[in-house]
Amino acid sequence: MVYICDIFGAQLSATRLKLELDMPINFDSAIGIHADALRVSSQRAELLASNLSNADTPGYKARDIDFKSALKMASSSETGMMKMSHQNHMQPTTTLSSQPHVQYRSTLQDSLDGNSVDEQIGQAAFMQNSIQYQASLDFLGGRFNGLLKAIKGE
């Protein structure tokens, strides 16, 4: 059996691809986890940029998001929504899965001013995150171009 892998390693068999192509267009299944990957990458880029901009701030602690666990949480079938147990309770407004767990980055070497930002590690993490973000954008662009061709009958 032939397998095709997307950039995150999800295997799609040829028979599954044929079944998906014979079915009506479902945008959720068409874009897969890439919409969640874009959201998590964007949130991570904000944190990494904040770390780099505070590299000289005394006492600043570098923060980061574990991309794999945040993506797993964002793409899980559970919404993480709190449920009301009584009609007089307040309606929950946000889901737990909408905010990935932010962690403090451990330092390789302590600094005198208490700052835990390592600029070289931060820049490398920022570039890796940027590449993942661009790959998801490219993959989504290809998927939407394919859907557009299917709609046009090309």
Side-chain angles (χ1 to χ4, degrees):
M1 180 165 281
V2 177
Y3 288 101
I4 299 172
C5 294
D6 67 7
I7 61 171
F8 291 105
Q11 290 186 346
L12 302 172
S13 66
T15 55
R16 181 174 164 202
L17 284 174
K18 182 177 179 341
L19 289 175
E20 286 181 1
L21 293 175
D22 291 340
M23 299 170 69
I25 297 173
N26 180 351
F27 286 110
D28 290 334
S29 67
I31 61 176
I33 64 170
H34 297 286
D36 294 325
L38 285 175
R39 187 179 53 77
V40 172
S41 290
S42 175
Q43 291 173 340
R44 185 167 186 237
E46 288 178 21
L47 280 176
L48 294 172
S50 176
N51 290 344
L52 290 172
S53 65
N54 286 298
D56 294 327
T57 304
Y60 184 82
K61 304 297 179 199
R63 301 176 299 158
D64 201 355
I65 296 172
D66 180 22
F67 184 80
K68 285 184 182 180
S69 66
L71 185 60
K72 181 186 273 188
M73 184 173 55
S75 63
S76 70
S77 60
E78 297 177 8
T79 61
M81 188 70 153
M82 295 183 347
K83 296 182 178 38
M84 291 184 357
S85 59
H86 192 271
Q87 64 183 359
N88 292 336
H89 290 170
M90 292 175 56
Q91 185 73 4
T93 57
T94 61
T95 61
L96 297 175
S97 65
S98 65
Q99 299 297 324
H101 182 67
V102 177
Q103 302 170 345
Y104 289 101
R105 186 176 292 216
S106 59
T107 61
L108 298 176
Q109 181 177 355
D110 293 334
S111 64
L112 294 175
D113 63 357
N115 187 313
S116 66
V117 176
D118 185 343
E119 288 186 62
Q120 293 173 340
I121 292 175
Q123 289 172 350
F126 190 83
M127 287 306 300
Q128 179 187 17
N129 188 63
S130 298
I131 290 169
Q132 289 175 340
Y133 187 85
Q134 188 62 46
S136 288
L137 278 178
D138 291 344
F139 188 82
L140 281 175
R143 282 287 180 119
F144 282 121
N145 285 338
L147 290 173
L148 188 59
K149 286 180 181 178
I151 290 170
K152 289 180 178 179
E154 295 178 0

